[in-house]
Amino acid sequence: QVQLVESGGGFVKPGGSLRLSCAASGFSFSEYYMSWIRQAPGKGLEWLSYISSSGRTTYYADSVRGRFTISRDNAKNSLYLQMNSLRAEDTALYYCARDWGMSHLAWGQGTLVTVSS
Amino acid sequence: QSALTQPASVSGSPGQSITISCTGTSSDVGGYNYVSWYQQHPGKAPKLMIYDVSERPSGVSNRFSGSKSANTASLTISGLQAEDEADYYCSSYTSSSTFVFGGGTSLTVL
């Protein structure tokens, strides 16, 4: 069955960097668009970025454009999110999701990022 | 991109029907038939319940239905059950080729 497992979260100081990974299995990874979505503690969902199946096309939310970079390695069935210039407001649970048309069909369990001095 | 507007909370008794609204603009909800709805139980990942305004993924109960009129989309849950108690989020594709979520609605089954 479809499985998405995020990793790479942790504690980082403001201004620091972190790279999240999402390992995909149970489906043909290279055929699907993928997204990153986050949820701050006790708050709602915020879409961050998506990447096309080939990796050639990417889009970002205004809140992270220029600081975050989405990428993928189809040979490794993996999705990544490079996060730079992190701020306290980036503290959240980060989910990767397999897109299906214009929706997010399958979700991982998330990896927690905490930005604090 | 501003978040879509949802009521903070709704409630209903078992067996009743409830509707959750999701209001956007002509640049998102009103401009595309790409509204989706997600259910999230505490401590769990969101689950897709409705896509493309009114389509249900395989395995989702037909008690869940979606619709849209102008800039407002709606999720209706009929025959409320205790297990439906959760947070619900709407999402829409936008004219900027991005996505935007609503603020979320907490559903209480009385």
Side-chain angles (χ1 to χ4, degrees), chain B residues 37-106:
Chain B
W37 290 90
Y38 302 85
Q39 175 193 65
Q40 187 179 35
H41 287 109
K44 300 295 186 182
K47 175 185 176 183
L48 178 66
M49 304 302 284
I50 295 287
Y51 68 96
D52 294 354
V53 175
S54 60
E55 300 297 315
R56 276 187 310 275
S58 174
V60 172
S61 171
N62 59 10
R63 298 187 298 107
F64 291 82
S65 61
S67 62
K68 190 187 84 167
S69 178
N71 295 338
T72 298
S74 298
L75 172 71
T76 298
I77 308 174
S78 59
L80 265 182
Q81 299 179 2
E83 68 207 49
D84 299 332
E85 186 162 295
D87 292 329
Y88 291 85
Y89 295 90
C90 62
S91 175
S92 176
Y93 182 70
T94 81
S95 59
S96 300
S97 299
T98 60
F99 292 90
V100 61
F101 280 97
T105 298
S106 177

Side-chain angles (χ1 to χ4, degrees), chain A residues 25-51:
Chain A
S25 60
F27 65 100
S28 184
F29 180 74
S30 63
E31 295 181 4
Y32 290 89
Y33 280 47
M34 298 290 294
S35 284
W36 284 100
I37 297 156
R38 71 183 178 186
Q39 186 169 35
K43 303 296 185 181
L45 301 171
E46 180 186 14
W47 175 84
L48 300 178
S49 179
Y50 74 75
I51 186 168

